[in-house]
Amino acid sequence: MKNALLPIAAVIFAAQLTTPVRAQAPAKAEVPPPPKMEKLEEGPTEKNLSVGKPEQKNKVVEKKNNAGKVTEVEVKSGKSSYTLKADPQAGNAQPGTVQGQGNRAAQWTLLEFGGKKEAKEAPEPLPVLPPAPVKAAPASAAAK
């Protein structure tokens, strides 16, 4: 009898282990189909429209010496421009030492003369009033 209960107990134990798994399994919910897509009408196309390369805003010009080392860099960005010059090493100072490491500040170009003249509009002249009428002086005042 003891042997007959062992397989029954194993079946009950296995059934208890699978029951929580079945309870946690999500029920398959029916998902509605996606909405039907409608084709949109094409808008008018402009045939005169063309795409070109944008103008370059910055301009960099490098000046080199005969050995090929960059000595000066001119940068123009919009209306402003500045120049960066190389800092010459003093004597035989090695780069990275106190004497051989000096930074040079940028030189900004200010108020350039002799360039392209801008046409300035002349202001309208102010209206000129006519001279005031002269009052006639009495004859007795002229005789005095």
Side-chain angles (χ1 to χ4, degrees), residues 2-107:
K2 216 175 189 185
N3 290 339
L5 290 178
L6 190 59
I8 295 173
V11 170
I12 294 173
F13 182 71
Q16 287 177 350
L17 287 178
T18 59
T19 302
V21 173
R22 282 190 227 147
Q24 292 178 359
K28 291 185 180 180
E30 291 189 26
V31 179
K36 293 184 178 182
M37 303 297 282
E38 296 179 12
K39 187 173 181 178
L40 299 176
E41 295 179 16
E42 297 276 334
T45 59
E46 295 185 31
K47 296 181 181 180
N48 298 335
L49 183 65
S50 64
V51 179
K53 289 186 178 181
E55 293 183 20
Q56 197 173 28
K57 293 181 181 179
N58 299 337
K59 182 179 177 184
V60 179
V61 178
E62 293 182 350
K63 293 183 181 177
K64 298 181 181 183
N65 63 5
N66 290 339
K69 184 177 177 183
V70 177
T71 58
E72 193 174 306
V73 177
E74 292 181 16
V75 180
K76 293 184 181 180
S77 176
K79 291 185 177 182
S80 63
S81 63
Y82 59 93
T83 304
L84 299 170
K85 293 185 178 179
D87 197 21
Q89 294 179 357
N92 59 357
Q94 296 295 319
T97 62
V98 175
Q99 292 86 11
Q101 184 173 359
N103 293 329
R104 199 173 210 179
Q107 298 174 348

Side-chain angles (χ1 to χ4, degrees), residues 138-144:
S140 62
K144 291 183 184 177

